[in-house]
Amino acid sequence: AQKITQTQPGMFVQEKEAVTLDCTYDTSDPSYGLFWYKQPSSGEMIFLIYQGSYDQQNATEGRYSLNFQKARKSANLVISASQLGDSAMYFCAMRARGYSTLTFGKGTMLLVSP
Amino acid sequence: ETGVTQSPTHLIKTRGQQVTLRCSSQSGHNTVSWYQQALGQGPQFIFQYYREEENGRGNFPPRFSGLQFPNYSSELNVNALELDDSALYLCASSLAVGGNTEAFFGQGTRLTVV
């Protein structure tokens, strides 16, 4: 069974500052993928970044980077230079290799203030 | 935009009724997954279809059923609606089962059962 834990119900950050959203996971599968999605109030889940369990380097996508610490089973999302439009729910998710289903955490609400 | 379209966007039904939700997957994607997202929670996997066959199912009762059509669009049917079925229903399409491809989500259907 797979489990995702996001311990921060809400986070506040000022515009242009960096913020880290925490995610820990648990799985017995040797090969898996970790995802971060952004969900604005409109409801759509927007893919942000992906990290494979065997990837040697941490994933980066523009202002998003994933701090992957495999031994600690953590996959924290770092958003640099926060923007007002970053205010949304953020979900960490994982998928075992060979499957398409995603297991999600409960999410973290990020609010960016001017 | 992801190319995944869901209809309708909002729906109100009475307890005991039946509902059909629709999803048009992204062009070229042959796998569709459905998720239920209750208020304040992360999405929960309902089931997945791959090339018109159910390919996996989460912990949902049989009154949740689905179909996938030759053009890979999909329907989610829920019979005998209960108040707890009120949620955002998300459809995600992906290219093939497993692998390291991200799932692209539609904007969701908000179902309210009264």
Side-chain angles (χ1 to χ4, degrees):
Chain A
Q2 300 172 351
K3 185 177 180 181
I4 295 285
T5 302
Q6 296 180 253
T7 58
Q8 306 156 315
M11 289 286 285
F12 294 89
V13 67
Q14 280 200 312
E15 202 176 5
K16 300 181 184 177
E17 291 186 347
V19 62
T20 298
L21 306 184
D22 294 341
C23 172
T24 58
Y25 62 92
D26 191 21
T27 181
S28 57
D29 296 298
S31 180
Y32 50 88
L34 294 156
F35 301 78
W36 277 91
Y37 285 87
K38 172 185 177 182
Q39 187 178 44
S41 57
S42 60
E44 183 177 358
M45 299 288 277
I46 301 168
F47 167 75
L48 296 177
I49 196 166
Y50 167 83
Q51 178 84 43
S53 59
Y54 290 114
D55 292 343
Q56 295 297 314
Q57 292 188 330
N58 288 344
T60 59
E61 291 283 351
R63 295 186 299 112
Y64 304 108
S65 60
L66 199 152
N67 184 1
F68 180 48
Q69 298 186 44
K70 193 171 183 177
R72 300 179 64 181
K73 294 189 174 180
S74 73
N76 298 339
L77 176 69
V78 180
I79 305 174
S80 63
S82 296
Q83 301 173 355
L84 295 178
D86 293 336
S87 293
M89 281 291 289
Y90 288 79
F91 290 95
C92 179
M94 74 178 300
R95 179 174 72 202
R97 192 169 183 90
Y99 298 88
S100 291
T101 61
L102 292 164
T103 299
F104 285 85
K106 291 190 174 182
T108 296
M109 172 64 80
L110 175 66
L111 291 178
V112 181
S113 61
Chain B
E1 295 187 0
T2 64
V4 180
T5 305
Q6 292 186 242
S7 61
T9 55
H10 295 80
L11 200 54
I12 300 176
K13 288 287 190 179
T14 303
R15 189 172 50 182
Q17 285 188 316
Q18 179 266 342
V19 69
T20 297
L21 311 182
R22 295 178 175 82
C23 172
S24 294
S25 59
Q26 181 155 319
S27 178
H29 285 187
N30 56 19
T31 303
V32 173
S33 304
W34 286 91
Y35 293 81
Q36 180 196 66
Q37 186 179 13
L39 195 63
Q41 301 294 318
Q44 298 290 315
F45 172 68
I46 302 175
F47 47 57
Q48 177 184 98
Y49 279 83
Y50 172 65
R51 292 186 176 181
E52 303 179 57
E53 298 279 337
E54 187 178 292
N55 183 255
R57 190 178 182 92
N59 189 25
F60 281 81
R63 57 191 186 83
F64 286 78
S65 63
L67 282 173
Q68 188 179 30
F69 300 98
N71 65 355
Y72 302 132
S73 64
S74 177
E75 287 183 353
L76 164 64
N77 299 291
V78 187
N79 293 323
L81 283 166
E82 301 177 0
L83 297 179
D84 285 348
D85 295 334
S86 295
L88 177 67
Y89 288 84
L90 293 163
C91 162
S93 76
S94 56
L95 180 60
V97 175
N100 292 338
T101 57
E102 64 269 27
F104 293 94
F105 284 81
Q107 81 282 12
T109 295
R110 293 188 186 275
L111 172 65
T112 302
V113 182
V114 298

